[in-house]
Amino acid sequence: MPLFDPRPKSNRRDLYDREIELSLLAKGFRECSPLILLLGLRRTGKTSLLQVSLNETNLPNVIVNCRVFEEKNSITYYEFLEVFTRSLSKLLKRARGLSDLLSKVKGIKVAGFQLELDTSRKERPTITSILEIINEWAMNQGLCVIIGFDEAQELAKLRGIRILPVLAYVYDHLRNISMVFTGSQIGMLYRFLKLHDPNAPLYGRVALEIRLNKFSYDQSIDFLEKGFLEYGIRAPRTILEHAVSVLDGIPGWLTMFGYYALTKGVTTRVVDEVLEKAMRMVLQEYKNYLRIRPIAAKRYTLILRAVAENHNSWSSIKRYLEVIEGKKISDYVFTQLLRNLVDAGFLEKKNNIYQIPDPILKQLLLKHKHI
């Protein structure tokens, strides 16, 4: 699979750089680490890293795509069970004997390699009972099963179940299960897991944390050059530099540029086209975030626009917001607004300076005054 293929990678040779992160993740899987956090901005390659590592270790796995819950205000236990069992069905094809064990769980129907909730019965299966069966099967096989939750911060919306005690039980007692949580909204994922809250079930548990950063400037240029050379194209350095200046070091945006440039030509016009496509995608993601937070939506946008316009300190952003609103805002309320944006990944704070980590979001805010 070429570097510019927009789909998640599954082979190490198709994954640019990331050797250190890949080695750490593969080691965690081989050792059946109980809790792994794979963190990074959207489009930095978390899914690719996860898939490559799973393919190399060849371990049985269940990956639950929590992105399906992004537009929901809350998630019922039944909705979660449906997605979880559907994901688990994919494991049955390679896990001989597991379907027989799972058929004993009340509230579950097994037909061939398909796992379904039995709606004819009042009993609902518990996540714990399902995971206990998986762990029993894995022990008998002498294997570790990887249970992954992609964009796991969405699970904070779960209602009707206290999921953290379940995760703590898995960590402490189900030794043949390794849980991996990926998250692009890193602060929100930490809020959900509450690893540092003395009153929370997962407090004190050690997690293997792997972070994917953006490419550096040199890495971004090298990535584009190598991607074009796979097709025998020596792209003009000036165009590549322009693309990196606009798209920064986000692998997903650079890949999108390379993909379109292969058919349309390596030109600045293609950079502009990719920018417009990317802004539409980011706008939709941002609107999804605001939709379930309508009360503070206007303030969030004003804060982000202030940072986009280079008001980067706590006090200067606050003054910007107060001038626009024409009234004072309490320090506590303002600090909470900033923290929420940082936790969601729309802002980052370094040395008391706030920046927008995704260049597309920054340009969206500067170009479009009515979001």
Side-chain angles (χ1 to χ4, degrees):
M1 182 184 291
L3 288 177
F4 292 159
D5 191 312
R7 294 168 296 182
K9 308 298 190 289
S10 57
N11 193 295
R12 180 188 289 256
R13 68 172 178 268
D14 302 319
L15 194 66
Y16 178 84
D17 196 49
R18 307 305 195 199
E19 291 295 325
I20 294 174
E21 296 89 344
L22 185 57
S23 296
L24 286 172
L25 185 57
K27 183 173 184 288
F29 286 166
R30 286 194 299 270
E31 296 177 354
C32 210
S33 297
L35 181 58
I36 301 172
L37 305 182
L38 182 54
L39 310 172
L41 291 174
R42 283 203 171 187
R43 303 175 185 89
T44 49
K46 297 184 297 297
T47 303
S48 291
L49 192 80
L50 182 58
Q51 288 193 5
V52 170
S53 187
L54 289 172
N55 284 344
E56 290 197 347
T57 54
N58 197 33
L59 291 171
N61 60 84
V62 179
I63 306 300
V64 182
N65 180 14
C66 298
R67 287 187 177 93
V68 299
F69 303 126
E70 278 183 337
E71 296 189 17
K72 289 184 171 292
N73 293 342
S74 62
I75 309 166
T76 67
Y77 182 45
Y78 186 81
E79 288 172 330
F80 174 71
L81 275 177
E82 277 194 312
V83 174
F84 183 75
T85 53
R86 193 161 59 241
S87 303
L88 183 53
S89 294
K90 299 174 184 177
L91 174 62
L92 298 185
K93 294 179 181 179
R94 63 173 296 190
R96 183 175 298 178
L98 179 58
S99 57
D100 292 335
L101 292 172
L102 287 171
S103 65
K104 300 174 184 177
V105 178
K106 292 180 179 180
I108 280 184
K109 292 191 300 183
V110 180
F113 296 126
Q114 195 64 35
L115 200 66
E116 296 177 357
L117 298 179
D118 189 350
T119 54
S120 66
R121 304 183 62 163
K122 290 185 178 180
E123 303 101 325
R124 287 183 179 176
T126 66
I127 296 296
T128 303
S129 63
I130 295 172
L131 293 174
E132 284 177 334
I133 291 293
I134 294 172
N135 188 71
E136 178 187 343
W137 176 86
M139 285 181 62
N140 293 336
Q141 301 294 319
L143 294 171
C144 177
V145 175
I146 311 302
I147 307 289
F149 298 92
D150 200 10
E151 296 298 345
Q153 67 275 349
E154 298 298 326
L155 296 181
K157 302 174 184 176
L158 261 173
R159 303 293 180 264
I161 177 178
R162 295 181 65 237
I163 192 69
L164 292 186
V166 174
L167 301 181
Y169 175 78
V170 175
Y171 188 108
D172 292 341
H173 301 289
L174 305 187
R175 301 301 178 90
N176 288 70
I177 289 178
S178 176
M179 298 180 291
V180 56
F181 296 85
T182 81
S184 58
Q185 298 179 342
I186 298 170
M188 292 178 68
L189 179 58
Y190 273 119
R191 278 199 212 181
F192 162 60
L193 293 173
K194 299 181 180 178
L195 293 173
H196 305 300
D197 181 349
N199 299 313
L202 284 172
Y203 177 70
R205 279 27 175 230
V206 177
L208 171 61
E209 183 177 309
I210 301 168
R211 292 206 178 215
L212 291 186
N213 297 314
K214 296 188 290 186
F215 292 157
S216 67
Y217 178 85
D218 289 339
Q219 285 176 317
S220 299
I221 295 292
D222 187 55
F223 170 80
L224 292 176
E225 286 179 337
K226 287 180 176 175
F228 285 117
L229 282 174
E230 287 181 333
Y231 294 87
I233 299 171
R234 291 192 176 276
R237 175 81 180 200
T238 54
I239 304 297
L240 300 188
E241 290 175 346
H242 175 63
V244 173
S245 70
V246 172
L247 305 172
D248 201 5
I250 305 288
W253 300 139
L254 297 172
T255 298
M256 184 185 289
F257 164 67
Y259 178 76
Y260 283 106
L262 288 174
T263 56
K264 297 186 176 185
V266 188
T267 65
T268 56
R269 181 176 56 80
V270 174
V271 176
D272 295 337
E273 287 183 17
V274 168
L275 176 60
E276 289 300 320
K277 289 178 184 291
M279 284 197 292
R280 287 196 293 271
M281 294 169 64
V282 168
L283 178 59
Q284 186 57 54
E285 292 165 0
Y286 180 57
K287 283 183 174 180
N288 287 341
Y289 177 80
L290 295 182
R291 191 178 52 77
I292 59 177
R293 299 165 178 85
I295 295 175
K298 185 177 180 181
R299 281 183 163 177
Y300 284 139
T301 301
L302 288 173
I303 289 171
L304 289 173
R305 182 161 287 123
V307 177
E309 294 175 2
N310 294 321
H311 300 274
N312 301 118
S313 68
W314 184 95
S315 57
S316 64
I317 301 167
K318 186 170 184 286
R319 280 197 302 272
Y320 181 101
L321 187 56
E322 288 176 335
V323 168
I324 297 293
E325 293 194 347
K327 61 182 179 183
K328 287 286 185 180
I329 302 169
S330 78
D331 289 353
Y332 174 79
V333 168
F334 178 70
T335 299
Q336 285 299 113
L337 292 169
L338 278 180
R339 181 193 170 194
N340 291 342
L341 288 171
V342 171
D343 285 352
F346 295 118
L347 282 181
E348 65 179 8
K349 181 184 178 184
K350 291 182 179 179
N351 301 320
N352 293 319
I353 296 297
Y354 292 89
Q355 301 284 351
I356 297 174
D358 189 335
I360 305 301
L361 177 59
K362 181 176 181 178
Q363 293 181 69
L364 175 67
L365 290 158
L366 293 173
K367 284 191 172 187
H368 299 278
K369 298 300 182 182
H370 302 288
I371 294 177

